[in-house]
């Protein structure tokens, strides 16, 4: 496969997944902001979302003061923000258009229809009336894109580059989502549940579980009260949880193995080592050293892994 084709496929799926995960991060912040809390705590939550997305300088330059309405505007419909939902879905559609011949009709039409319908969602006042409903729509379109890809495409190299992009992006964004929530509670969380307001904590941790479609899964696995340590365990180390770091890295390693070439051995080694750390890790050890530090290091390693994939597969002189 030509590296430029692989590049478009890889980034098409990454941008689609990024739009979904941005919607998930915004939704958990939006739901949390509806809970009883001081203005300072609410402000910290929105600031944390911008911080973990590395967008504080860009936001401050454009909007100045951090307010919920301005953050939502910046992260949803700002075309100048490359991480906004609008920018991600536009980029996904443009990458799909560039490799139209490598996609089935159903995959292309799903991407194209998502982009066309986004304009109606944003200009029809739907987003302003009910942000939660809009975020659900973004998630639904992402689910549809993945399902159509899985159900209609030949499982060749094109398919595996799509899957590779999806799960690399998911591992990055799940780590960021976790960090937003735990970082807001305590800058260096050591697994101690808050004793000051356990009822309020329940709603906070329920919000993050629902944001990754894991509330029912948590109840099925643990059958007990929701605790921060178990939330972290579920979303980091559980291989059978679809959006966990472990499950995402397993998909990355498996798809890398299928498309491997003569220069990808080091990238595969890095991916395998990161997966092994998740496969044999223990949540009490992770919490003992500080979850924020662990997730920061994980994000650095995933970023390096993405760089390795680009170097080995997506960039070729004279292609």
């Amino acid at each position: 496969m030509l590296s430029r084709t692989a590049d478009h496929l890889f980034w098409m799926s990454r941008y689609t997944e990024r739009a979904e995960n941005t919607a998930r991060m915004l939704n958990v912040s939006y739901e949390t902001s509806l809970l009883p809390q001081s203005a300072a705590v609410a402000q910290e939550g929105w600031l944390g979302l911008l911080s973990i997305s590395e967008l504080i300088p860009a936001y401050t330059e454009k909007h100045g003061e951090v307010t919920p309405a301005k953050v939502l505007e910046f992260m949803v419909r700002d075309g100048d923000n490359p991480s906004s939902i609008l920018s991600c879905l536009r980029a996904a559609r443009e990458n799909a258009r560039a490799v139209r011949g490598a996609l089935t009709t159903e995959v292309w039409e799903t991407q194209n229809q998502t982009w066309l319908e986004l304009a109606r969602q944003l200009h029809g006042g739907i987003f302003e009336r009910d942000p939660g409903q809009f975020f659900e729509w973004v998630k639904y379109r992402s689910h549809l894109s993945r399902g159509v890809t899985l159900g209609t495409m030949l499982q060749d190299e094109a398919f595996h580059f799509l899957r590779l992009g999806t799960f690399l992006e998911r591992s990055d964004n799940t780590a960021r989502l976790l960090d937003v929530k735990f970082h807001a509670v305590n800058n260096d969380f050591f697994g101690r549940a808050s004793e000051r307001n356990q009822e309020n904590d329940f709603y906070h941790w329920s919000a993050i579980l629902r944001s990754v479609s894991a509330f029912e899964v948590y109840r099925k696995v643990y059958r007990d009260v929701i605790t921060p340590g178990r939330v972290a365990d579920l979303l980091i180390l559980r291989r059978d949880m679809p959006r966990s770091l472990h499950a995402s890295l397993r998909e990355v390693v498996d798809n890398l193995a299928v498309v491997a070439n003569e220069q990808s051995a080091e990238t595969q080694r890095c991916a395998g080592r990161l997966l092994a750390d998740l496969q044999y890790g223990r949540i009490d050890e992770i919490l003992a050293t500080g979850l924020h530090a662990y997730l920061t290091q994980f994000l650095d390693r995933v970023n390096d892994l993405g760089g390795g994939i680009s170097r080995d597969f997506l960039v070729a002189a004279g292609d």
Side-chain angles (χ1 to χ4, degrees), residues 18 21-23 25-26 46-66 70-88 169 172-173 176 180:
R18 188 174 300 178
N21 283 284
T22 298
M25 281 199 287
L26 288 169
W46 291 107
L47 196 60
L49 188 148
L50 291 169
S51 173
I52 205 63
S53 302
E54 301 175 4
L55 290 170
I56 287 181
Y59 174 90
T60 304
E61 183 180 349
K62 190 161 191 175
H63 295 290
E65 183 187 2
V66 174
K70 288 179 179 177
V71 172
L72 287 171
E73 176 75 15
F74 182 68
M75 295 297 293
V76 170
R77 66 165 88 221
D78 191 334
D80 295 327
N81 171 16
S83 294
S84 71
I85 290 173
L86 173 72
S87 294
C88 288
E169 186 68 28
D172 177 277
N173 283 277
R176 290 179 187 274
V180 164

Side-chain angles (χ1 to χ4, degrees), residues 234-306:
L234 182 70
L235 298 185
I236 294 174
L237 299 181
R238 292 283 306 202
R239 181 181 174 178
D240 50 359
M241 168 60 203
R243 305 195 73 85
S244 73
L245 302 187
H246 186 169
S248 299
L249 255 295
R250 168 61 63 189
E251 290 281 351
V252 170
V253 168
D254 289 349
N255 284 282
L256 261 179
V258 177
V259 300
N261 59 29
E262 64 277 1
Q263 60 193 37
S264 63
E266 178 60 20
T267 299
Q268 287 181 269
R269 187 193 69 81
C270 292
R273 185 171 179 181
L274 186 51
L275 174 62
D277 288 345
L278 292 165
Q279 191 170 348
Y280 299 107
R282 292 172 57 93
I283 196 62
D284 53 347
E285 294 172 353
I286 292 171
L287 295 177
T289 56
L291 187 60
H292 178 59
Y294 175 86
L295 291 172
T296 300
Q297 184 187 54
F298 178 87
L299 286 166
D300 287 341
R301 293 172 72 182
V302 166
N303 187 54
D304 290 342
L305 186 56

